[in-house]
């Protein structure tokens, strides 16, 4: 899929672990892992909003379009 | 008293087992009697199966006897396979009502549709073959007794199941997408 999820990059920048993020955004580790590994097919605006809030970033920091 | 899906499936499981054993006995009987008539004792053609007297057909030509019984055997074996699949799915409890659109269930419907279509085609072929033999002056048993009746129903079931299988396939895709929506 040409949409790349840069969640791991943002987590590294904020020095936040997956467990910590999971608690803050109220998502299961399994779901966060699906998102992080790029297996997710879609993301809800509400989920994106809570992740942006927790990581203090913009949606564009998390998602990237790469034409391959 | 409310009857739940679980109870219905349990009843269907028992019924499927009974029918499966019945059709297996029938298929086995056809195979054995064909072998017995052709190899050991041709007199057996007279008492091939309850209601089936193939003595005239055997006297006319053992080759035609073999072809007609082969079609009956194919249909009987396919019916057994259909019920084997049903029993297997109900035994393995692969019908997950919480997430019904899974690959196993989709594959099950696809297989059923192919088998139904094939059963319908072979039944239709068997009926036409018996009809052709009748025109040659060979007295043939009733197609109901030869277990070849209902070809149109099998074909209708096959086509319907095929359409359902296609819809089911899309359902599996949608469910997978839904599961991967975070």
């Amino acid at each position: 899929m040409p949409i790349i999820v840069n969640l791991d990059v943002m987590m590294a920048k904020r020095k936040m672990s997956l467990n910590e993020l999971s608690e803050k955004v109220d998502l299961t580790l399994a779901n966060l892992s699906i998102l992080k590994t790029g297996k997710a097919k879609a993301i809800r605006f509400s989920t994106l909003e809570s992740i942006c809030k927790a990581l203090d970033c913009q949606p564009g920091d998390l998602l990237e379009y790469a034409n391959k | 008293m409310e009857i739940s899906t679980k109870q219905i499936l349990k009843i269907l499981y028992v019924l499927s087992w009974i029918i499966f054993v019945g059709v297996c006995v029938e298929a086995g009987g056809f195979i054995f009697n064909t072998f017995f008539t052709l190899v050991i004792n041709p007199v057996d053609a007279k008492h091939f199966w309850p209601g089936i007297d193939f003595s005239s057909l055997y006297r006319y030509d053992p080759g035609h006897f073999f072809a007609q019984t082969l079609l009956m055997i194919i249909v009987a074996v396919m019916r057994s396979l259909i019920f084997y699949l049903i029993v297997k799915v109900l035994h393995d409890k692969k019908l997950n009502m919480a997430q019904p659109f899974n690959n196993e269930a989709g594959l099950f419907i696809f297989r059923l549709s192919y088998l139904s279509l094939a059963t319908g085609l072979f039944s239709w072929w068997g009926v036409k073959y018996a009809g052709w033999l009748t025109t040659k002056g060979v007295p043939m048993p009733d197609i109901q007794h030869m277990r070849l009746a209902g070809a149109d129903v099998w074909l209708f079931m096959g086509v319907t199941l095929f359409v359902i299988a296609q819809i089911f396939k899309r359902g599996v895709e949608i469910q997978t997408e839904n599961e991967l929506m975070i």
Side-chain angles (χ1 to χ4, degrees):
Chain A
M1 207 157 62
I3 301 289
I4 298 166
V5 182
N6 289 322
L7 183 65
D8 45 354
V9 178
M10 279 315 291
M11 280 166 59
K13 276 184 186 170
R14 301 287 184 262
K15 293 186 177 64
M16 196 180 281
S17 69
L18 207 63
N19 276 321
E20 208 179 325
L21 185 66
S22 163
E23 281 166 21
K24 280 191 175 175
V25 297
D26 200 26
L27 274 177
T28 61
L29 276 173
N31 276 344
L32 269 181
S33 179
I34 289 170
L35 195 60
K36 207 177 119 188
T37 50
K39 285 179 188 162
K41 292 262 181 190
I43 181 164
R44 288 189 190 88
F45 278 148
S46 56
T47 311
L48 195 59
E49 185 191 330
S50 53
I51 294 173
C52 285
K53 198 173 171 183
L55 293 172
D56 189 25
C57 64
Q58 292 298 312
D61 297 329
L62 294 170
L63 303 173
E64 182 191 333
Y65 173 72
N67 194 7
K68 282 178 189 171
Chain B
M1 193 184 80
E2 198 180 313
I3 301 169
S4 67
T5 314
K6 230 176 186 176
Q7 284 170 309
I8 293 171
L9 286 177
K10 205 162 239 176
I11 294 165
L12 285 177
Y13 178 58
V14 174
L15 279 176
S16 304
W17 253 116
I18 295 166
I19 299 170
F20 175 63
V21 170
V23 287
C24 276
V25 167
E26 205 172 77
F30 286 171
I31 293 167
F32 176 78
N33 282 340
T34 302
F35 175 78
F36 195 82
T37 307
L38 287 171
V39 180
I40 300 168
N41 187 5
V43 179
D44 189 49
K46 192 169 173 57
H47 314 286
F48 188 81
W49 201 253
I52 304 177
D53 177 3
F54 274 149
S55 52
S56 312
L57 177 64
Y58 189 84
R59 269 199 307 275
Y60 177 70
D61 184 2
H64 284 306
F65 166 80
F66 177 67
Q68 183 66 63
T69 50
L70 184 68
L71 286 169
M72 286 164 58
I73 287 167
I74 290 171
V75 171
V77 168
M78 282 190 174
R79 273 202 310 252
S80 315
L81 270 175
I82 288 174
F83 279 97
Y84 169 73
L85 285 179
I86 296 170
V87 166
K88 193 169 178 282
V89 144
L90 292 173
H91 178 78
D92 296 346
K93 293 187 172 57
K94 284 200 174 146
L95 294 177
N96 181 3
M97 287 303 156
Q99 289 177 322
F101 294 97
N102 50 50
N103 280 327
E104 281 89 5
L107 205 64
F108 166 67
I109 299 175
F110 258 117
R111 281 177 181 160
L112 272 193
S113 77
Y114 290 141
L115 279 171
S116 301
L117 276 173
T119 308
L121 283 173
F122 278 107
S123 297
W124 178 76
W125 190 4
V127 170
K128 290 282 163 198
Y129 195 66
W132 178 76
L133 284 168
T134 311
T135 60
K136 295 278 169 192
V138 183
M140 292 294 286
D142 187 37
I143 54 162
Q144 200 82 40
H145 288 126
M146 287 195 285
R147 313 291 191 270
L148 291 172
D152 46 350
V153 180
W154 282 112
L155 286 172
F156 172 74
M157 184 177 145
V159 172
T160 311
L161 280 174
F162 190 75
V163 173
I164 292 172
Q166 294 296 333
I167 298 167
F168 206 88
K169 201 174 150 191
R170 183 72 191 116
V172 173
E173 283 171 15
I174 291 171
Q175 190 179 285
T176 314
E177 262 182 30
N178 199 34
E179 279 165 6
L180 289 173
M181 184 154 110
I182 311 298

